[in-house]
């Protein structure tokens, strides 16, 4: 039975959205720095590892936070544009509490890469008209622009000599290259071990650079170390073989310890584990989404689809883990969550689509089912905590979350499959997930709906407009409604994003836009849109809604006022999105 009453839906959604999400950021002095939604909005805290008391570092931080063992300063971004994601860079000293603006006179911008080595801060940022890389020196109080770039580059590390990052620097949407800036010489180099390969996440240790690349395998990422002085490229010599045996497909994060050992969070089929010097530190089946190492311990945030993020400390020698920050789900939420399954669904052309299923214990089988296509599109639904997936199951819907072609986590060949073809074969994969739900006995024909956010909202609108007979109804959060209009409104980062995603094929923007097909809609649609969204802006969504009005379709539109795209940074905004979805779905399943 799906939840119908407003009171019950609100109570359950409130119980789920208030469950904190945790990100381990690093260590500053004797403090473990982490970010969390525990106070209602995404904020950063410092936990004293000796006394276990905590200090607030900054409220409403905008995603990126950096700490470094050699400094008591914590560096973070704050959106100074009420949700439009124009940020300044700040630093606060954990000991003294003093805060300073690092980015000085640099105009607020979309910052997609931030690095801190304890003394210097580097970042890559984009405005409407330009993109650049900046370097700040904390002791000197200086900020300088060191390079101009195209728009979607990610600064990943900095030290006294270099700034390194990565992006589509060769202009090939299928590949990514490493950017190496020698600061003193003012020299920039685009490095790739092999033309056409994907190279990401460079991390410096003196004159050495660790990074992940698919250049040998052509599909799976592996770790490599480049000596920046001699240009010798080699595989790291690891003390243990656990990581090689696990065969990670890609890495959630990676880095060096203070004494030059390599750590990495390896990912495969929606589960990830922490490895140090090749040794498996666990902590078990599920997902490590962030980690830091310090003083004989690893600190990780760990979750599964059914258990919320906890911060664990793992002893590096014994591998024993302890819960440092616990996170409990209310019993009525736990009782409503059914089985988690991983299946591979065969799509129209034979491609296997890796899919996570979370069944609802509140409904029978077959029963009401939601297909949930994730956002990104270069992202995935893994065996990790997702408030949206969990809420849908708790509300009585079986959830099918296909990692359609283009998703991360299944190799570079699979991830590249949507480039030049978004809204094409990836939509067939989502339709295949619906078919699987019916044929596999999860749902009856005519009882499947679709819910998605961002690229998932786009997918929802594309399904409702181009495959109108498949769906009972759909909820589109912050959807892409019109690629042409969105491109006009985009800043340098998102213009590059669209150029890469479409492999330059702007001529198909219209053909791949839901707004082109509004008259085809048959099922009721609910749209939830943040007002100050600078990724999927409101204007094209309102144009889409105008067409819904003029063609007489059944729809709901809810605008989330004064906030930006990333609703998951704000518990109340996330709860509103879920509550609108819940009430819309319950009405749809009543009829
Ligand atoms: P996401 O949103 O799914 O949250 O990453 C998107 C925003 C913009 C674009 C795609 C997805 N874009 O192509 O510009």
């Amino acid at each position: 039975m799906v939840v119908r009453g407003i009171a019950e839906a609100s109570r359950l959604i409130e119980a789920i959205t208030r469950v904190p999400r945790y990100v381990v950021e690093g260590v500053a002095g004797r403090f473990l720095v982490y970010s969390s939604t525990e106070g209602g909005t995404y904020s950063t805290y410092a936990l004293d590892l000796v006394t276990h008391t905590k200090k607030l570092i900054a409220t409403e931080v905008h995603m990126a936070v950096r700490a470094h063992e050699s400094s008591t300063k914590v560096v973070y971004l704050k959106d100074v544009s009420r949700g439009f994601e124009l940020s300044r860079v700040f630093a606060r000293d954990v000991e003294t509490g003093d805060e300073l603006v690092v980015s000085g006179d640099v105009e607020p911008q979309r910052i997609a890469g931030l690095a801190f080595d304890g003394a210097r801060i580097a970042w890559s940022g984009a405005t409407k008209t330009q993109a650049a890389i900046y370097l700040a020196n904390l002791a000197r109080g200086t900020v300088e622009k060191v390079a101009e770039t195209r728009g979607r580059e990610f600064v990943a590390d900095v030290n006294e000599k270099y700034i390194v990052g990565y992006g589509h620097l060769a202009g090939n949407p299928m590949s990514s290259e490493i950017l190496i800036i020698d600061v003193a010489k003012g020299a920039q180099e685009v490095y790739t071990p092999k033309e056409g390969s994907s190279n990401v996440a460079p991390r410096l240790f003196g004159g050495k650079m660790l990074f992940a690349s698919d250049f040998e395998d052509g599909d799976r990422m592996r770790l490599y170390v480049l000596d920046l002085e001699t240009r010798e490229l080699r595989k790291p010599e690891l003390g243990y073989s656990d990581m090689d045996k696990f065969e990670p497909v890609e890495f959630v994060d990676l880095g060096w310890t203070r004494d030059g050992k390599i750590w990495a969070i390896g990912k495969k089929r929606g589960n990830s584990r922490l490895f140090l010097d090749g040794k498996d530190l666990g902590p078990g089946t599920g997902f490590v989404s962030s980690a830091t190492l310090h003083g004989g311990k690893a600190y990780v945030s760990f979750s599964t689809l059914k258990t919320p993020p906890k911060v664990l400390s793992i002893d590096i020698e014994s591998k024993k883990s302890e819960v440092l920050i616990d996170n409990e789900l209310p019993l009525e939420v736990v009782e409503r969550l059914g089985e988690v399954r991983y299946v591979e669904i065969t799509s129209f052309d034979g491609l296997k689509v890796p899919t996570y299923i979370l069944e609802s214990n509140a409904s029978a089988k077959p029963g009401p089912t939601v297909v949930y296509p994730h956002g990104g599109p270069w992202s995935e639904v893994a065996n990790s905590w997702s408030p949206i997936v969990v809420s849908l199951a708790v509300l009585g819907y079986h959830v099918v979350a296909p990692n359609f072609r283009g998703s991360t986590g299944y190799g570079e060949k699979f991830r590249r499959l949507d480039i030049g073809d978004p809204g094409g074969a990836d939509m067939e994969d989502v339709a295949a997930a619906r078919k699987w739900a019916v044929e596999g006995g999860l749902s009856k024909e005519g009882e499947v709906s679709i819910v998605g956010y961002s690229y998932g909202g786009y997918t929802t609108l594309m399904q409702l407009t181009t495959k109108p007979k498949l769906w009972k109804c759909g909820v589109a959060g912050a959807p892409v409604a019109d690629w042409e209009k969105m491109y006009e409104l985009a800043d340098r980062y998102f213009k590059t994003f669209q150029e890469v995603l479409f492999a330059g094929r702007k001529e198909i923007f219209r053909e791949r836009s839901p707004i082109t097909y509004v008259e085809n809609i048959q099922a009721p649609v609910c749209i939830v849109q943040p007002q100050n969204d600078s990724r999927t802006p409101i204007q094209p969504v309102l144009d889409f809604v105008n067409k819904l009005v003029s063609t007489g379709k059944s729809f709901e539109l809810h605008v989330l006022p004064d906030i930006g795209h990333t609703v998951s940074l704000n518990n109340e905004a996330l709860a509103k999105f879920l509550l609108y979805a819940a009430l819309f779905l319950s009405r749809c399943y009543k009829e």
Side-chain angles (χ1 to χ4, degrees):
M1 275 274 289
V2 302
V3 170
R4 299 202 187 284
I6 296 180
E8 193 182 5
S10 321
R11 193 186 71 244
L12 291 166
I13 288 167
E14 150 82 2
I16 295 160
T17 52
R18 71 179 307 161
V19 169
R21 281 82 73 197
Y22 288 103
V23 176
V24 169
E25 309 282 13
V27 168
R30 62 175 194 280
F31 295 88
L32 177 69
V33 179
Y34 70 91
S35 301
S36 123
T37 53
E38 65 193 44
T41 58
Y42 195 68
S43 302
T44 299
Y45 304 87
L47 181 72
D48 188 319
L49 286 168
V50 180
T51 63
H52 282 207
T53 51
K54 81 176 180 199
K55 290 185 182 185
L56 177 67
I57 299 293
T59 54
E60 298 187 41
V61 294
H62 194 61
M63 300 188 289
V65 177
R66 299 287 178 263
H68 194 273
E69 279 178 297
S70 67
S71 170
T72 54
K73 299 241 180 0
V74 179
V75 177
Y76 47 91
L77 305 180
K78 279 184 89 111
D79 179 337
V80 293
S81 63
R82 298 177 303 122
F84 288 103
E85 303 189 292
L86 301 174
S87 296
R88 284 191 201 279
V89 184
F90 293 82
R92 189 187 295 283
D93 193 298
V94 255
E95 301 285 357
T96 65
D98 295 341
E99 186 187 58
L100 66 118
V101 186
V102 173
S103 51
D105 296 334
V106 176
E107 75 178 292
Q109 50 194 271
R110 179 181 303 285
I111 296 176
L114 178 67
F116 176 44
D117 74 340
R120 301 155 201 88
I121 300 163
W123 69 91
S124 38
T127 65
K128 206 87 200 174
T129 51
Q130 58 122 24
I133 291 171
Y134 296 86
L135 176 64
N137 186 301
L138 275 180
R140 294 196 205 117
T142 54
V143 190
E144 55 179 317
K145 189 197 278 190
V146 291
E148 295 206 348
T149 54
R150 189 167 148 224
R152 193 167 172 271
E153 298 76 25
F154 303 92
V155 161
D157 209 355
V158 61
N159 68 12
E160 63 282 359
K161 195 152 180 216
Y162 301 104
I163 299 172
V164 291
Y166 63 100
H168 298 280
L169 303 161
N172 176 359
M174 299 291 182
S175 71
S176 66
E177 293 73 29
I178 308 271
L179 177 64
I180 304 166
I181 299 175
D182 183 322
V183 178
K185 288 193 188 141
Q188 287 177 43
E189 179 191 344
V190 172
Y191 171 78
T192 182
K194 186 181 173 191
E195 204 181 308
S197 62
S198 296
N199 301 278
V200 298
R203 301 282 190 270
L204 295 164
F205 186 76
K208 289 184 193 161
M209 183 181 79
L210 170 70
F211 63 105
S213 173
D214 77 336
F215 88 92
E216 282 189 297
D217 193 76
D219 189 30
R220 245 182 60 190
M221 289 280 186
R222 291 190 182 131
L223 300 181
Y224 298 91
V225 175
L226 179 73
D227 187 314
L228 292 168
E229 321 289 317
T230 65
R231 292 295 145 147
E232 184 204 352
L233 178 67
R234 60 171 179 83
K235 285 190 183 136
E237 284 148 29
L238 302 175
Y240 300 80
S241 59
D242 299 345
M243 188 166 80
D244 284 342
K245 287 189 193 131
F246 179 75
E247 297 194 324
V249 170
E250 62 191 43
F251 298 91
V252 176
D253 201 358
L254 49 93
W256 300 90
T257 61
R258 212 170 190 170
D259 57 355
K261 290 208 173 78
I262 287 169
W263 64 269
I265 306 171
K267 176 168 60 166
K268 187 173 72 179
R269 248 179 265 125
N271 291 287
S272 69
R273 311 177 74 78
L274 178 63
F275 297 92
L276 172 62
D277 196 22
K279 177 178 174 180
D280 185 352
L281 295 182
T285 303
F287 206 88
V288 177
S289 55
S290 55
T292 192
L293 288 100
H294 174 74
K297 302 265 193 209
Y299 300 94
V300 302
S301 64
F302 178 75
S303 72
T304 75
L305 256 174
K306 284 171 66 164
T307 55
K310 297 178 184 194
V311 177
L312 309 179
S313 82
I314 303 170
D315 187 275
I316 287 167
E317 279 305 315
S318 70
K319 303 203 236 177
K320 260 187 69 177
S321 77
E322 274 174 42
V323 176
L324 194 61
I325 305 176
D326 209 352
N327 207 341
E328 288 292 330
L329 281 182
L331 191 61
E332 67 170 341
V333 170
V334 174
E335 285 176 346
R336 287 167 165 270
L337 296 175
E339 205 188 327
V340 172
R341 282 192 279 157
Y342 169 84
V343 297
E344 290 180 347
I345 294 173
T346 307
S347 192
F348 75 105
D349 58 353
L351 186 81
K352 298 267 189 275
V353 180
T355 303
Y356 270 92
I357 318 290
L358 177 58
E359 293 184 1
S360 177
N361 265 352
S363 287
K365 240 175 21 179
T369 297
V370 169
V371 171
Y372 173 73
H374 61 75
W378 301 309
S379 175
E380 67 192 275
V381 170
N383 186 18
S384 66
W385 185 248
S386 160
I388 300 180
V389 171
V390 166
S391 295
L392 291 166
V394 165
L395 291 164
Y397 306 92
H398 304 308
V399 185
V400 179
N403 289 305
F404 46 84
R405 69 193 68 197
S407 299
T408 53
Y410 299 90
E412 279 297 284
K413 283 185 185 153
F414 191 87
R415 192 193 63 80
R416 292 184 186 115
L417 287 176
D418 65 346
I419 296 174
D421 188 31
D426 53 352
M427 297 299 131
E428 302 305 324
D429 299 341
V430 175
R434 190 213 75 102
K435 187 159 173 262
W436 178 90
V438 174
E439 290 174 356
L442 201 59
S443 185
K444 287 196 195 123
E445 189 64 53
E447 291 295 300
V448 189
S449 56
I450 179 163
V451 175
Y453 193 88
S454 193
Y455 193 86
Y458 164 66
T459 302
T460 299
L461 294 186
M462 281 302 273
Q463 293 291 329
L464 296 179
T465 52
T466 65
K467 298 178 184 301
K469 291 194 180 9
L470 297 188
W471 308 99
K472 190 173 179 70
C473 58
V475 179
V480 176
D482 180 346
W483 291 110
E484 282 183 320
K485 189 70 167 276
M486 205 168 93
Y487 188 79
E488 279 169 34
L489 297 171
D491 59 20
R492 269 316 322 160
Y493 179 98
F494 274 106
K495 277 197 169 57
T496 307
F497 192 109
Q498 272 183 247
E499 287 158 8
V500 172
L501 181 59
F502 280 82
R505 299 173 68 202
K506 291 182 191 167
E507 68 279 6
I508 66 167
F509 278 176
R510 183 171 310 203
E511 175 205 309
R512 299 298 168 96
S513 292
I515 199 159
T516 310
Y517 312 103
V518 178
E519 59 278 4
N520 295 350
I521 290 187
Q522 294 178 9
V525 53
C526 171
I527 296 174
V528 185
Q529 173 65 42
Q531 183 185 358
N532 297 350
D533 195 327
S534 60
R535 301 193 204 182
T536 52
I538 190 168
Q539 197 56 55
V541 174
L542 294 178
D543 295 343
F544 185 91
V545 168
N546 267 324
K547 284 198 159 189
L548 288 170
V549 174
S550 63
T551 49
K553 306 295 181 189
S554 172
F555 74 94
E556 290 185 23
L557 170 67
H558 303 276
V559 175
L560 302 172
D562 305 316
I563 65 152
H565 184 76
T566 318
V567 282
S568 57
L569 301 180
N570 180 312
N571 288 354
E572 189 183 301
L574 179 61
K576 275 188 192 170
F577 166 66
L578 290 165
L579 188 59
Y580 294 141
L583 298 178
F584 169 83
L585 288 170
S586 76
R587 189 165 83 98
C588 159
Y589 278 86
K590 195 152 59 185
E591 284 149 8

